[in-house]
Amino acid sequence: MGCECSKLASCCWAGQNGPVHEAKNPDDEEKDEVSDLPTFREFTVEQLRIATSGFAVENIVSEHGEKAPNVVYKGKLENQRRVAVKRFNRSAWPDSRQFLEEARSVGSLRNNRLANLLGCCCEGDERLLVAEFMPNETLAKHLFHWETQPMKWAMRLRVALYLGQALEYCTSKGRALYHDLNAYRILFDEEGDPRLSCFGLMKNSRDGKSYSTNLAFTPPEYLRTGRITPESVMYSFGTLLLDLLSGKHIPPSHALDLIKDRNLQMLTDSCLEGQFSSDDGTELVRIASRCLQYEPRERPNPKSLVAALFPLQKETEVPSHVLMGISRNSETMPLSPLGEACLRMDLTAIHEILEKLGYKDDEGAATELSFQMWTNQMQETLNSKKKGDAAFRHKDAKAAVECYTQFIDVGTMVSPTVYARRSLSYLMSDMPQEALNDAVQAQVISPVWHIASYLQAASLFAMGRENEAQIALKEGSVLEEKKNTTS
């Protein structure tokens, strides 16, 4: 091991009832305030339906069990901002006013240590939250289910510090309660930095339980009273420190027994061998032990936790994404011919590629008609599509728009390719906003279709929205790469 287990055991146990010493935190308290995020807003169900491609199964990033059937989707707003959308069970928040008050309160928080809440939706029976999207998975994934490399000691310490800073910030803003703090609530942003999900700052329902995890990890006072307190959050923080130390989800009672028996080899992740000193291990176990005290009043507060964790930090100059071994979106892959054509706004090249592709990506939609009743209206609908295809082939943009519009308006058959072709026809007619609308609709129908993202990029370039266009272009590249890999 990278530390002497017997020495570590005797040190940490002898000192576990001592105070968590306050060390001067050189960081300015306000340094992590976020200024470039939009203010909290209310969305309509339709806006979030479009953002998540109709709440498509392909966009689900997490879902709970039957007791708390709340689902989180990844999505994309009109301005290309990627978001996480939490959709509550319809019976979770019957009082719309209470839901809005809670959401607005959480939405007033803005900090770089949080996956911040951007808005909500309270329409009819629907209750949804909209937060920043974190693209690099959860702590549970990187700690318990890693594929390429285990999380390094320096990164584990950084996770602990950043989480403590997140809780300290929330406490300073009057939101000290966090529901069911666990490794799935810590997410990693584009830079690989850990962030605390804002969703846990609200309950799963107005009267719902604050903890849904195994009772072995639940604060003892919660089992007695059913109520969460700031001290309960500190207990959960202690369980997370054990997760970081062991690389496993060890029940606190078992971990404390190991510490008492000075059997820390069973507690420490073997993947960490040689990465930390006995003093550092001693201190982390001591902090965890303090958080796990049976009596709530004996646990530290977030401010003292941050002060204790700060001096332990290692490799502070190394970016998180390097420690994590993950690539950032800014490190872009080479563009495909279609991506290049959209970047150059070469409408002729885009047209050539779409024409060559045909209706290959419509997933059988074009053949569904053979099983339907042939009526005069159906024949007219098919004729509109055929005329549109002929006009598109000859680059008659105006006629293509007219014919495809007739086909779409009937609504008998939904085709992402028709929307894509009409989108390009609008671009050829110098109507970029209409082109963007159609490209978005193509993605609603086919959530992971790279061509829809590429056409959104082309439309945004045409409108002079450079930054948003670049985001859409990157998304198209990622989706195209995934498609090529799977095929």
Side-chain angles (χ1 to χ4, degrees):
M1 295 303 299
C3 55
E4 302 168 45
C5 288
S6 59
K7 179 182 175 184
L8 173 54
S10 60
C11 288
C12 70
W13 188 245
Q16 94 164 13
N17 290 319
V20 174
H21 298 292
E22 299 248 355
K24 181 174 174 58
N25 184 345
D27 275 13
D28 178 16
E29 285 185 7
E30 298 301 317
K31 79 173 182 63
D32 293 316
E33 289 279 357
V34 180
S35 58
D36 61 341
L37 279 179
T39 55
F40 182 86
R41 58 175 284 201
E42 290 184 41
F43 293 88
T44 65
V45 172
E46 180 62 16
Q47 286 173 321
L48 299 183
R49 187 190 71 80
I50 292 173
T52 58
S53 299
F55 300 105
V57 173
E58 297 94 326
N59 285 334
I60 292 177
V61 291
S62 74
E63 52 189 324
H64 298 283
E66 293 179 12
K67 293 182 179 178
N70 307 316
V71 185
V72 179
Y73 300 84
K74 63 181 177 181
K76 185 177 64 176
L77 301 180
E78 190 179 46
N79 63 1
Q80 300 298 306
R81 182 183 287 279
R82 298 176 75 191
V83 292
V85 179
K86 181 171 183 175
R87 193 181 197 183
F88 286 92
N89 177 12
R90 288 182 180 273
S91 61
W93 291 91
D95 188 334
S96 60
R97 185 173 60 182
Q98 187 181 28
F99 175 80
L100 279 172
E101 286 175 358
E102 277 281 292
R104 285 173 182 150
S105 177
V106 175
S108 67
L109 304 178
R110 287 288 182 269
N111 192 269
N112 281 329
R113 299 292 181 252
L114 295 174
N116 295 279
L117 193 65
L118 304 177
C120 72
C121 173
C122 188
E123 188 178 306
D125 292 332
E126 291 283 5
R127 305 286 184 266
L128 303 106
L129 298 176
V130 182
E132 293 181 281
F133 178 71
M134 301 290 114
N136 283 310
E137 302 284 357
T138 66
L139 176 62
K141 167 74 172 177
H142 291 290
L143 205 54
F144 309 139
H145 311 294
W146 55 272
E147 295 168 0
T148 55
Q149 67 173 44
M151 186 178 287
K152 294 180 179 178
W153 176 248
M155 193 64 212
R156 298 186 195 205
L157 291 174
R158 189 172 298 180
V159 169
L161 175 65
Y162 282 23
L163 173 57
Q165 290 174 332
L167 294 174
E168 181 184 10
Y169 169 78
C170 293
T171 300
S172 72
K173 298 296 183 182
R175 301 289 309 193
L177 301 186
Y178 195 93
H179 305 275
D180 205 9
L181 179 62
N182 60 62
Y184 292 93
R185 298 286 200 178
I186 301 169
L187 313 164
F188 292 86
D189 63 19
E190 283 192 6
E191 301 297 321
D193 286 329
R195 305 240 204 148
L196 179 62
S197 169
C198 63
F199 291 151
L201 292 165
M202 285 183 67
K203 296 182 196 175
N204 279 332
S205 65
R206 181 189 60 180
D207 302 313
K209 291 183 177 180
S210 293
Y211 285 85
S212 59
T213 52
N214 190 309
L215 293 180
F217 300 90
T218 304
E221 68 275 8
Y222 181 78
L223 295 177
R224 293 195 305 267
T225 67
R227 296 183 63 184
I228 182 176
T229 66
E231 292 76 21
S232 306
V233 181
M234 290 300 96
Y235 186 93
S236 296
F237 189 98
T239 67
L240 274 167
L241 290 182
L242 293 179
D243 291 347
L244 291 166
L245 184 65
S246 66
K248 299 184 285 289
H249 203 34
I250 298 179
S253 58
H254 179 51
L256 291 173
D257 286 341
L258 290 174
I259 295 170
K260 286 178 184 177
D261 296 338
R262 302 182 180 182
N263 188 7
L264 291 188
Q265 191 164 2
M266 294 289 292
L267 184 59
T268 310
D269 193 339
S270 60
C271 295
L272 296 174
E273 187 171 351
Q275 291 189 33
F276 67 97
S277 69
S278 60
D279 288 344
D280 287 348
T282 296
E283 182 63 10
L284 196 67
V285 171
R286 193 178 70 84
I287 296 169
S289 299
R290 294 290 291 145
C291 291
L292 295 170
Q293 290 294 298
Y294 186 83
E295 291 296 333
R297 66 177 179 275
E298 294 180 7
R299 299 171 198 156
N301 59 38
K303 188 172 184 179
S304 64
L305 275 178
V306 169
L309 289 165
F310 206 90
L312 295 178
Q313 299 306 302
K314 308 293 180 187
E315 301 185 55
T316 54
E317 73 289 349
V318 181
S320 294
H321 73 91
V322 175
L323 287 177
M324 295 283 286
I326 57 179
S327 61
R328 294 176 298 174
N329 280 354
S330 56
E331 298 165 1
T332 55
M333 59 190 75
L335 288 173
S336 67
L338 180 56
E340 286 283 0
C342 291
L343 178 62
R344 299 193 313 269
M345 285 298 294
D346 186 343
L347 302 186
T348 300
I350 298 173
H351 176 272
E352 186 178 318
I353 292 169
L354 290 189
E355 176 63 27
K356 186 176 180 180
L357 178 66
Y359 287 83
K360 196 188 303 180
D361 288 340
D362 267 24
E363 297 182 337
T367 61
E368 286 177 11
L369 295 171
S370 60
F371 301 99
Q372 298 181 22
M373 189 74 81
W374 292 101
T375 63
N376 289 336
Q377 185 185 38
M378 181 63 70
Q379 193 60 53
E380 288 175 16
T381 302
L382 278 177
N383 287 338
S384 298
K385 177 178 168 294
K386 287 178 181 177
K387 289 177 182 177
D389 289 341
F392 183 80
R393 187 162 50 250
H394 293 99
K395 299 181 185 176
D396 185 347
K398 183 179 178 182
V401 166
E402 289 178 358
C403 295
Y404 285 143
T405 300
Q406 290 174 13
F407 171 79
I408 288 170
D409 286 349
V410 171
T412 307
M413 173 184 161
V414 179
S415 165
T417 300
V418 167
Y419 275 106
R421 290 182 166 210
R422 192 173 72 167
S423 175
L424 180 59
S425 300
Y426 275 132
L427 278 176
M428 291 173 166
S429 305
D430 197 24
M431 300 170 71
Q433 182 60 60
E434 289 79 1
L436 178 61
N437 294 343
D438 272 2
V440 169
Q441 282 301 319
Q443 194 158 49
V444 169
I445 300 166
S446 190
V448 294
W449 196 34
H450 62 285
I451 287 173
S453 293
Y454 279 138
L455 286 171
Q456 288 172 51
S459 305
L460 290 162
F461 277 129
M463 297 166 74
R465 291 158 64 176
E466 179 80 20
N467 292 339
E468 295 168 36
Q470 290 288 352
I471 294 170
L473 197 63
K474 287 177 186 175
E475 183 182 66
S477 293
V478 171
L479 291 174
E480 186 173 18
E481 177 67 19
K482 283 182 180 176
K483 180 186 178 186
N484 292 338
T485 301
T486 54
S487 60

